[in-house]
Amino acid sequence: MSRARINLETDVKPVSEFRANAAELIEQVRDGGRPLVLTQRGKPAVVVLDVGGYEGLLSEIELLGEARTAVKQLDAGDGVDNQCAKGELRKRFRQ
């Protein structure tokens, strides 16, 4: 999944501007495919993402967690070689 990078000139807004123009800025996030960074007192406070972008991030985080678990299992010697794995899959799918 490819996400557009934040444009620091257009995608960083003070929360007061968001309050005044919420509908327009939400549309910008949806249409532009880029998150919006809201600031308070000149410092980044929150990031606004469209739903698809948020779900994509959650999927990527889940996949990375599964990969980390797999690496730990392999490091602990709990892995199986490719030939054994293929044999197990063939057995399971024949039933």
Side-chain angles (χ1 to χ4, degrees), residues 43-90:
K43 295 183 179 181
V46 298
V47 176
V48 179
L49 293 170
D50 69 316
V51 172
Y54 178 73
E55 288 175 341
L57 284 174
L58 290 179
S59 293
E60 287 183 34
I61 289 168
E62 186 177 308
L63 182 61
L64 287 170
E66 291 170 358
R68 184 179 313 138
T69 298
V71 168
K72 285 180 183 177
Q73 289 172 341
L74 289 171
D75 288 346
D78 295 335
V80 295
D81 67 37
N82 189 33
Q83 193 167 357
C84 289
K86 283 182 182 179
E88 280 298 315
L89 288 172
R90 284 190 182 108

Side-chain angles (χ1 to χ4, degrees), residues 5-34:
R5 288 189 143 326
I6 292 175
N7 179 325
L8 295 177
E9 290 184 29
T10 60
D11 300 336
V12 178
K13 305 283 183 192
V15 74
S16 58
E17 185 177 338
F18 183 77
R19 261 190 248 115
N21 303 301
E24 178 184 314
L25 292 171
I26 289 170
E27 189 174 318
Q28 173 186 320
V29 169
R30 266 196 225 129
D31 295 346
R34 292 187 316 266

